[in-house]
Amino acid sequence: MEYQEAKDKFISTWGSLGTLWGINKAMAQIQSLLFISTKPLSMEEIMAELKISRGNTSMNLRQLMDWGIVTKELIPGERKEYFSTEKDVQELARHIAKERSRREIKPVIKVLKDVSSIKDDGTEKTRELIKQTKALHDLAETADAMMNKIVNQEQTWITKSLLKLIK
Amino acid sequence: MEYQEAKDKFISTWGSLGTLWGINKAMAQIQSLLFISTKPLSMEEIMAELKISRGNTSMNLRQLMDWGIVTKELIPGERKEYFSTEKDVQELARHIAKERSRREIKPVIKVLKDVSSIKDDGTEKTRELIKQTKALHDLAETADAMMNKIVNQEQTWITKSLLKLIK
DNA sequence: CTGAACTTTCAATAATTATTGAAAGTTTAT
DNA sequence: ATAAACTTTCAATAATTATTGAAAGTTCAG
């Protein structure tokens, strides 16, 4: 497999995996492209590589910046804006996990908590609703906590190693 | 909050969370309905409760059965088919994790492996592609393995200590 | 201040995905 | 074998989501 083929395959596969981490195709593809690029890319370059419109590129870059995984790089003397993504996979995973937790999981946990806290009127169906949503609530909370612990643990480890390097 | 309100809230919230585990709205809503039902439901009942068509109900029930989280219940003397879902959240999580791993994560890991195995021609861009896809491959593999370990409750010292950290 | 270089916005449109409903298919009782 | 009871299929349609592109907005050099 040649470079170009491997590159295209990577971008389209990673792009289609977007759903797995809750982002759209264009967003995922832009991130992929930046992830394997050896230097920051301009909007023009991204548009050309992925064959998407200026507007699309602009909006998706903004979303990626909202997610905290893409940053603007200002190159001295250049008018254009350049973009690059977090290159460290651990750090990338941390950002993604944190954002997904905040945007999607936490709000659902809140609803599960509310629903499982309704008054038990003694009927079978109410009891079942309470019981099952409570179980789901506990599971969701554990899973969310675990995910955050794992990714933050990684962060601690990285920070520790970094500190060692500095000393 | 009354029973009916709580029930509707649960079904629509859990339904909209469908994307999180990679299924569509109707599928997620049917599963939710069954999850809090005190008895197996017929197609008619599901259609009426969720206000969806017969065809839609049929197709989504089939998909839920493919996922292994809904089963047909044959009630003696009844012509109609009844459906129920796995009621144990741990078991449910296990099934979902296993299916997602098989359908989505494993194939992506395979592509990452192929892409990261291309011949190093010495150019910077090829080296970057290899380096980054390899890092992603390792991360994906670790995450997948860990998820399976956790849901399969194969509690080695690693997962045990992780669980302790959370509690 | 003006114009060139660049980015953002957003209404229109395209692409994708979900849903319907009626015809075809299946099963069972008689 | 027939008909009633029920389920599945799938072409048509609706709903949703993504994408475009041109106008409006911004920034900056001269």
Side-chain angles (χ1 to χ4, degrees):
Chain A
M1 188 158 46
E2 283 307 306
Y3 174 76
Q4 195 58 44
E5 191 195 343
K7 176 180 175 179
D8 293 346
K9 200 167 178 183
F10 170 65
I11 291 175
S12 77
T13 304
W14 202 238
S16 72
L17 194 68
T19 55
L20 199 70
W21 44 296
I23 68 171
N24 74 34
K25 208 181 70 181
M27 241 175 108
Q29 291 187 339
I30 293 172
Q31 198 277 330
S32 310
L33 181 63
L34 295 174
F35 191 68
I36 56 168
S37 169
T38 53
K39 58 174 188 12
L41 301 179
S42 68
M43 228 166 76
E44 297 291 340
E45 291 169 311
I46 296 169
M47 284 167 62
E49 282 272 6
L50 303 177
K51 294 177 170 70
I52 59 177
S53 72
R54 187 175 296 284
N56 202 2
T57 309
S58 171
M59 289 178 109
N60 286 107
L61 276 170
R62 180 142 56 90
Q63 283 201 73
L64 283 164
M65 290 188 284
D66 287 349
W67 271 74
I69 54 182
V70 161
T71 49
K72 264 185 197 161
E73 305 281 331
L74 293 179
I75 293 186
E78 286 259 25
R79 186 71 166 278
K80 252 182 262 182
E81 294 178 329
Y82 286 80
F83 301 89
S84 61
T85 190
E86 172 58 56
K87 286 275 189 165
D88 182 300
V89 288
Q90 309 285 355
E91 197 58 23
L92 197 58
R94 235 192 93 236
H95 267 116
I96 294 167
K98 207 170 133 195
E99 281 298 295
R100 283 218 94 179
S101 169
R102 187 176 67 78
R103 293 170 192 229
E104 302 181 74
I105 303 171
K106 291 249 156 63
V108 170
I109 288 175
K110 169 81 167 55
V111 171
L112 289 175
K113 195 179 174 186
D114 292 348
V115 171
S116 68
S117 306
I118 62 168
K119 197 173 127 282
D120 181 354
D121 62 11
T123 64
E124 196 189 358
K125 60 184 192 176
T126 301
R127 290 223 163 124
E128 185 72 6
L129 178 64
I130 293 172
K131 182 182 144 216
Q132 293 297 77
T133 51
K134 198 170 270 173
L136 226 36
H137 173 264
D138 294 348
L139 175 76
E141 212 164 44
T142 307
D144 184 53
M146 182 171 280
M147 197 172 78
N148 284 306
K149 266 274 151 53
I150 291 169
V151 295
N152 284 319
Q153 194 69 10
E154 224 69 65
Q155 167 72 350
T156 311
W157 185 82
I158 285 168
T159 314
K160 273 182 194 158
S161 329
L162 265 175
L163 280 171
K164 258 184 213 161
L165 277 175
I166 292 161
K167 283 180 212 161
Chain B
M1 189 158 43
E2 284 308 306
Y3 175 76
Q4 194 59 45
E5 191 195 342
K7 176 181 175 179
D8 293 348
K9 201 167 176 181
F10 170 65
I11 290 175
S12 78
T13 305
W14 201 240
S16 72
L17 194 67
T19 52
L20 200 69
W21 42 296
I23 67 172
N24 74 34
K25 207 181 70 182
M27 238 175 110
Q29 291 187 339
I30 293 172
Q31 198 277 330
S32 310
L33 181 63
L34 295 174
F35 190 68
I36 56 167
S37 170
T38 53
K39 56 173 190 13
L41 301 179
S42 69
M43 230 167 76
E44 296 290 340
E45 291 169 312
I46 296 168
M47 285 167 63
E49 282 271 8
L50 301 178
K51 292 177 172 71
I52 58 177
S53 73
R54 188 174 295 284
N56 202 1
T57 309
S58 172
M59 291 180 107
N60 285 108
L61 276 170
R62 181 141 57 89
Q63 284 202 73
L64 284 164
M65 290 189 283
D66 287 348
W67 271 74
I69 55 182
V70 161
T71 48
K72 264 186 196 161
E73 304 282 331
L74 292 179
I75 292 185
E78 286 258 26
R79 187 73 165 276
K80 252 180 261 179
E81 294 179 327
Y82 286 79
F83 301 89
S84 61
T85 189
E86 171 60 57
K87 286 276 190 165
D88 182 297
V89 287
Q90 306 284 356
E91 198 58 22
L92 197 58
R94 245 192 81 237
H95 265 116
I96 294 167
K98 208 171 131 194
E99 281 297 295
R100 283 218 95 180
S101 169
R102 185 177 68 77
R103 294 171 190 228
E104 302 180 77
I105 304 171
K106 291 250 156 64
V108 170
I109 288 175
K110 168 81 167 55
V111 171
L112 289 175
K113 194 178 173 185
D114 292 348
V115 171
S116 68
S117 307
I118 62 168
K119 195 173 132 282
D120 182 354
D121 63 10
T123 63
E124 196 189 358
K125 59 184 192 175
T126 301
R127 290 224 162 125
E128 185 72 5
L129 178 63
I130 293 172
K131 181 181 145 215
Q132 293 298 76
T133 52
K134 197 171 271 174
L136 226 35
H137 173 264
D138 293 348
L139 176 76
E141 213 164 42
T142 306
D144 185 52
M146 184 168 272
M147 194 173 79
N148 284 307
K149 270 269 156 54
I150 291 168
V151 296
N152 284 318
Q153 281 164 333
E154 288 165 25
Q155 297 196 359
T156 59
W157 69 270
I158 294 176
T159 43
K160 269 183 200 155
S161 43
L162 262 172
L163 282 167
K164 258 184 214 157
L165 274 173
I166 291 152
K167 287 177 200 159

